[in-house]
Amino acid sequence: MRVQTLYYKNHVLYVLDQLQLPRYKKYIVCRDWRQVAQVIKKMNIRGAPAIGVAAAFGIALAAREQNTSDRQRFLDQIYIASKALVSTRPTAVNLAWAIKRMLDYLETIKSRDIKGIKTFLEKKAQQVLAEDVLINKKMAVQGEKLIPGNARVLTHCNAGALATAGYGTALGVIREAHKRGKKITVWVDETRPYLQGARLTAWELKEEKIPFYLISDNMAGHFISRGEVDCIITGADRVAANGDTANKIGTYSLAVLAKENCIPFYIAAPCSTIDLHIKSGSEIPIEERSAEEVTCIAGKRIAPPGIKVKNPAFDVTPHKYITAIITEKGIVKKPYLKNLKKLKKSL
Ligand code: MRU
């Protein structure tokens, strides 16, 4: 797909405004790190790998926007920006991963002149972006082998080009299978409350001319129980050491449905989403978002005022429900504790 989720040109980050899709294709211009933090928090850009890449540019901008010649002051401002950026969204580990990568790199170049540091950080962020696209393509090639010809694949949320720097994770696998001539049909969950499926995945699939049906989330069980879904594939925001996986709210119910109906449930995620510091899913922080996302649809209130609302953005799927985790380095199967550790060691 030719659309660019984000790009950096002449010291400015351009972010495709996903809140305007599918109606308008408009880019938000970010000239400083605060604007980057804002677009991540407001979900103009979303999806674990995409927010990681955006944050990497946030660090580059935190350096670029300064006029000081005082090295310590210059570095301190970057550290302040990194802390603020990492706190924008807590669940997706790719955000912290990308920022750490930038800071580790800064450590190796911090004795250079300030002008040089600014240029090197911009180059590093460009590298993080380019690598993300390559990683997704490798993951797609690995995962495509799991998808039978004529498969009817169900996906949840948006794990496509828009959720990454390009190509996508779960949708990348589907895209690759389609490209190789497999007659794929996709079931697209609308993904309430934020409607990433209806707004974004449906848009991407339509652009690519990949056949699909849009369904509301509560229809998934109906079609699965009738044997009309051959497998489920989703992305991930964080995979714990034991394989428990946080992804968009509603993923857990799909995994249970898959098990009950004897169809495979796959996760597609880059190695950067695997967090071995977290032993199990219960330790993964779950972002709670605003009540308005549940009480309103497209700005229109649908629920009575003054009511109590819960809005966790993610849930955790226990590893026992996950048939395999597709990464750019290969397909990981049970026992996850052993095999994820082995995978990370090989990086
Ligand atoms: O709240 P979002 O839209 O950022 O949530 C996105 C997801 O849950 C995706 O499935 C996940 O980040 C993987 S995207 C390649």
Side-chain angles (χ1 to χ4, degrees), residues 95-286:
L95 189 64
W97 172 87
I99 291 169
K100 182 175 180 313
R101 207 165 152 203
M102 294 297 285
L103 293 183
D104 286 351
Y105 179 64
L106 175 62
E107 202 53 34
T108 66
I109 55 164
K110 73 177 183 193
S111 54
R112 286 176 177 267
D113 61 291
I114 288 180
K115 196 171 163 226
I117 297 176
K118 290 179 182 179
T119 307
F120 278 117
L121 285 177
E122 283 173 331
K123 285 193 176 150
K124 189 71 185 175
Q126 292 281 22
Q127 188 192 336
V128 173
L129 183 150
E131 276 177 21
D132 186 61
V133 181
L134 283 179
I135 283 170
N136 290 334
K137 288 191 175 160
K138 283 188 187 164
M139 203 186 314
V141 171
Q142 297 282 352
E144 176 279 327
K145 296 174 205 149
L146 297 171
I147 312 290
N150 300 315
R152 297 151 303 170
V153 186
L154 189 141
T155 192
H156 190 65
C157 193
N158 172 267
L162 293 166
T164 62
Y167 214 70
T169 59
L171 222 52
V173 170
I174 292 169
R175 181 170 275 135
E176 190 66 26
H178 174 78
K179 216 170 88 181
R180 288 175 187 235
K182 291 182 181 171
K183 301 258 175 287
I184 306 293
T185 306
V186 188
W187 293 103
V188 178
D189 266 3
E190 66 170 347
T191 319
R192 271 283 283 152
Y194 222 66
L195 301 172
Q196 289 94 330
R199 293 187 297 108
L200 308 174
T201 301
W203 183 72
E204 281 198 37
L205 291 171
K206 187 169 178 238
E207 291 273 305
E208 296 263 310
K209 298 187 172 49
I210 300 175
F212 71 96
Y213 293 100
L214 176 63
I215 55 171
S216 64
D217 302 328
N218 48 5
M219 295 174 191
H222 171 74
F223 292 111
I224 295 170
S225 70
R226 291 182 160 211
E228 294 184 47
V229 178
D230 298 303
C231 65
I232 300 176
I233 176 164
T234 75
D237 287 83
R238 196 184 297 228
V239 180
N242 70 347
D244 291 353
T245 295
N247 190 51
K248 180 52 54 195
I249 192 78
T251 304
Y252 167 51
S253 336
L254 290 172
V256 176
L257 278 168
K259 179 105 177 160
E260 169 70 15
N261 291 278
C262 304
I263 59 167
F265 176 84
Y266 301 119
I267 292 287
C271 294
S272 54
T273 306
I274 301 163
D275 184 359
L276 295 187
H277 298 107
I278 284 208
K279 285 198 202 102
S280 74
S282 61
E283 291 172 51
I284 301 176
I286 301 292

Side-chain angles (χ1 to χ4, degrees), residues 60-100:
L61 282 171
R64 175 57 63 189
E65 71 196 52
Q66 293 190 62
N67 290 320
T68 184
S69 54
D70 177 333
R71 177 183 306 277
Q72 198 49 52
R73 204 183 139 90
F74 171 74
L75 293 173
D76 285 348
Q77 288 304 311
I78 299 177
Y79 300 138
I80 289 171
S82 69
K83 282 205 179 96
L85 283 162
V86 91
S87 69
T88 49
R89 296 198 71 192
T91 304
V93 73
N94 307 61
L95 189 64
W97 172 87
I99 291 169
K100 182 175 180 313

